[in-house]
Amino acid sequence: LAKTTQPISMDSYEGQEVNITCSHNNIATNDYITWYQQFPSQGPRFIIQGYKTKVTNEVASLFIPADRKSSTLSLPRVSLSDTAVYYCLASLGGTYKYIFGTGTRLKVLA
Amino acid sequence: SQTIHQWPATLVQPVGSPLSLECTVEGTSNPNLYWYRQAAGRGLQLLFYSVGIGQISSEVPQNLSASRPQDRQFILSSKKLLLSDSGFYLCAWSVTEAPLHFGNGTRLTVT
C-alpha cells in the first residue's frame, strides 16, 4: 500500500486557485489516487479519483504526472465553504484496505 | 441509489459499559465495509474492514471487535469501554476500486 504525504495545512483567499500536492512515492501499478474532503463532524466526501494524466469534474481537477509518484488536487476559485481537511488516498486495487494519511487542513480566508 | 445508515449520531457511555454501533448499506450487494475512528483534530484510523459476510480484518488490536452478520450490516462492539475509546466513529462502504462512501458518523464520549 502506498503511503501518502501531504502538507499539514494551507491558507488561501477567496477566489484563488488552490493546489494541494500529495506524494506517494511507492505507488503500485494498479493503485488509484482518490481525494476526499471532510468538514468537522462529518464523514469524508469523495471529490475526485484518477489513475494517470488529468481528470476533471465539476468541483476539481486532479493532475497525475507520468511517474505517478505524486498528484495535485486543484480547486478553482475557492470560497469560504471550501475550508475543510483534504485527504489523498492511494489505494491498491484489489486489497480493499484503505489507510488515510494525515490530510491537509485548508483554510480559506475572506 | 446507494445509501449508508449509521446510528446513533451521538452516544455518551460510562467507562466499563458495553458498546454496539450499527451500520447498514442499501442499494448495493456484497459491499466492502469499513469502520474508522477519528480522535479530535486527528486523521482517520482504520479499525476493521470486511470483504464478505463473516470476514473481518482487524487493523488495530484493542478492546473493540466487529461483526458482519448480514451482507450489508456491519457492527462495531466493545465489552468494556475505555476512556481512550472516545472519538468519532465512521462506517464506510465501497465496491471494487470505487471510492469509499462514508456515513454521518457516531460521536462517542466515554465518561
Side-chain angles (χ1 to χ4, degrees), chain A residues 5-96:
Chain A
T5 304
Q6 304 173 233
I8 296 296
S9 64
M10 296 178 67
D11 288 347
S12 181
Y13 289 94
E14 281 190 292
Q16 289 187 332
E17 178 185 70
V18 170
N19 296 309
I20 306 174
T21 298
C22 178
S23 171
H24 27 79
N25 290 322
N26 60 336
I27 192 169
T29 303
N30 54 346
D31 275 357
Y32 288 83
I33 297 143
T34 312
W35 286 81
Y36 297 84
Q37 175 192 56
Q38 187 182 27
F39 298 112
S41 298
Q42 294 184 25
R45 180 175 70 100
F46 167 77
I47 300 175
I48 197 166
Q49 183 181 56
Y51 184 78
K52 61 180 178 180
T53 63
K54 178 183 176 182
V55 179
T56 298
N57 62 21
E58 64 275 9
V59 298
S61 295
L62 177 60
F63 299 91
I64 305 169
D67 65 7
R68 301 194 339 114
K69 293 184 181 301
S70 66
S71 60
T72 299
L73 173 71
S74 180
L75 304 172
R77 297 194 303 279
V78 294
S79 64
L80 295 175
S81 63
D82 292 316
T83 293
V85 178
Y86 292 82
Y87 293 95
C88 150
L89 185 65
S91 53
L92 180 59
T95 66
Y96 313 121

Side-chain angles (χ1 to χ4, degrees), chain B residues 30-33 49-56 68-71 74:
Chain B
N30 195 30
N32 303 316
L33 298 172
Y49 69 101
S50 171
V51 299
I53 295 175
Q55 301 179 57
I56 309 292
R68 185 171 178 173
Q70 299 180 43
D71 180 44
F74 206 23

Side-chain angles (χ1 to χ4, degrees), chain A residues 38 87 100-103, chain B residues 37-39 41-45:
Chain A
Q38 187 182 27
Y87 293 95
F100 285 80
T102 56
Chain B
R37 179 172 63 194
Q38 190 170 36
R42 305 296 295 274
L44 295 151
Q45 179 187 32

Side-chain angles (χ1 to χ4, degrees), chain B residues 29-94:
Chain B
S29 296
N30 195 30
N32 303 316
L33 298 172
Y34 303 81
W35 280 111
Y36 287 87
R37 179 172 63 194
Q38 190 170 36
R42 305 296 295 274
L44 295 151
Q45 179 187 32
L46 177 62
L47 300 176
F48 301 95
Y49 69 101
S50 171
V51 299
I53 295 175
Q55 301 179 57
I56 309 292
S57 296
S58 173
E59 292 300 305
V60 184
Q62 52 191 2
N63 68 320
L64 297 173
S65 63
S67 62
R68 185 171 178 173
Q70 299 180 43
D71 180 44
R72 291 169 289 176
Q73 183 184 29
F74 206 23
I75 298 172
L76 182 69
S77 304
S78 174
K79 292 182 180 179
K80 289 185 177 182
L81 283 169
L82 306 173
L83 286 174
S84 58
D85 291 323
S86 294
F88 190 45
Y89 288 81
L90 288 156
C91 181
W93 69 273
S94 75

